[in-house]
Amino acid sequence: MSDQYVLSRRKAIALLGISAAGLAVEANPATSHARAGELDKVGGSARPQYIFGYGSLVQRQSRMGTSAEAEFASPVIVHGVSRGWFDQTGGPSWNPTYLGAVLEKDSVCNGVIFPVASAEFAAYGEREVGYQLTKIDPSQITMLDGSQTVPEADIWFYGNTEKRFPSSEHPIVQSYVDVCLDGCLGDR
């Protein structure tokens, strides 16, 4: 294994755990959680729809496992969102800890945004069971692909309502870490 690969992997691991709480960025109060019936608006909106992926959705193959149309994504930074190892689905059997994200005023989170047809939201909703669909105001997004402007669209992420941290009963699984790292290190 080359030193370049090791350093890149270490940097990617650090990025997955970073919250950058020291940055004073005001989250836009227009950010809101989707409520019952709001998903109907997502499906019926005339505006393009995007999802912000910050964990396994960063990896192209993982996104495309839910929708073949989600091949291409743009790297971004979202202000007012904090990512961490604090999601557990609460299932009846083995229950690992996954990356989660919460609204947090002074945080930033890197990831990708990708367009999603309205009909595909149901498939992503089934995949992201236990998360809460949350809308991001475009003013919170910085594009990292050379674009000067954020797409004129509704942009959503699957977030958490609480933080539940890893433990011996809820470990972090290496195969999940590998999917997230592959997304950070590979093609988006």
Side-chain angles (χ1 to χ4, degrees), residues 170-185:
H170 306 284
I172 298 172
V173 179
Q174 184 65 51
S175 58
Y176 176 75
V177 172
D178 290 343
V179 167
C180 297
L181 288 175
D182 184 56
C184 290
L185 296 172

Side-chain angles (χ1 to χ4, degrees), residues 39-106:
L39 289 178
D40 294 335
K41 288 188 229 172
V42 170
S45 175
R47 290 173 53 92
Q49 303 296 307
Y50 278 68
I51 290 177
F52 168 61
Y54 56 84
S56 61
L57 290 176
V58 173
Q59 186 199 47
R60 177 184 301 183
Q61 183 178 354
S62 181
R63 284 191 311 273
M64 291 179 65
T66 304
S67 169
E69 302 300 315
E71 181 176 2
F72 300 106
S74 298
V76 297
I77 292 175
V78 177
H79 304 272
V81 173
S82 176
R83 169 184 47 219
W85 295 102
F86 47 70
D87 179 64
Q88 298 154 12
T89 59
S93 63
W94 187 59
N95 190 4
T97 299
Y98 299 99
L99 282 172
V102 295
L103 296 173
E104 197 167 272
K105 179 179 150 186
D106 294 332

Side-chain angles (χ1 to χ4, degrees), residues 2 11 21 24 34 42 60 69 80 82 87 121-122 140 150 155 159 164 166 182:
S2 73
K11 184 175 180 182
V42 170
R60 177 184 301 183
E69 302 300 315
S82 176
D87 179 64
F121 262 100
Q140 293 174 244
V150 176
I155 303 171
R164 296 176 289 184
D182 184 56

Side-chain angles (χ1 to χ4, degrees), residues 98-184:
Y98 299 99
L99 282 172
V102 295
L103 296 173
E104 197 167 272
K105 179 179 150 186
D106 294 332
S107 296
V108 296
C109 182
N110 64 328
V112 298
I113 59 172
F114 57 95
V116 180
S118 297
E120 294 171 325
F121 262 100
Y124 281 102
E126 288 175 21
R127 171 191 171 137
E128 304 297 332
V129 165
Y131 291 94
Q132 184 169 358
L133 189 62
T134 305
K135 193 171 185 180
I136 303 169
D137 189 278
S139 68
Q140 293 174 244
I141 298 173
T142 302
M143 301 297 294
L144 298 176
D145 65 356
S147 302
Q148 296 300 313
T149 59
V150 176
E152 290 191 29
D154 293 331
I155 303 171
W156 305 86
F157 79 99
Y158 289 93
N160 301 87
T161 56
E162 63 180 300
K163 294 180 179 180
R164 296 176 289 184
F165 296 96
S167 66
S168 58
E169 294 84 28
H170 306 284
I172 298 172
V173 179
Q174 184 65 51
S175 58
Y176 176 75
V177 172
D178 290 343
V179 167
C180 297
L181 288 175
D182 184 56
C184 290

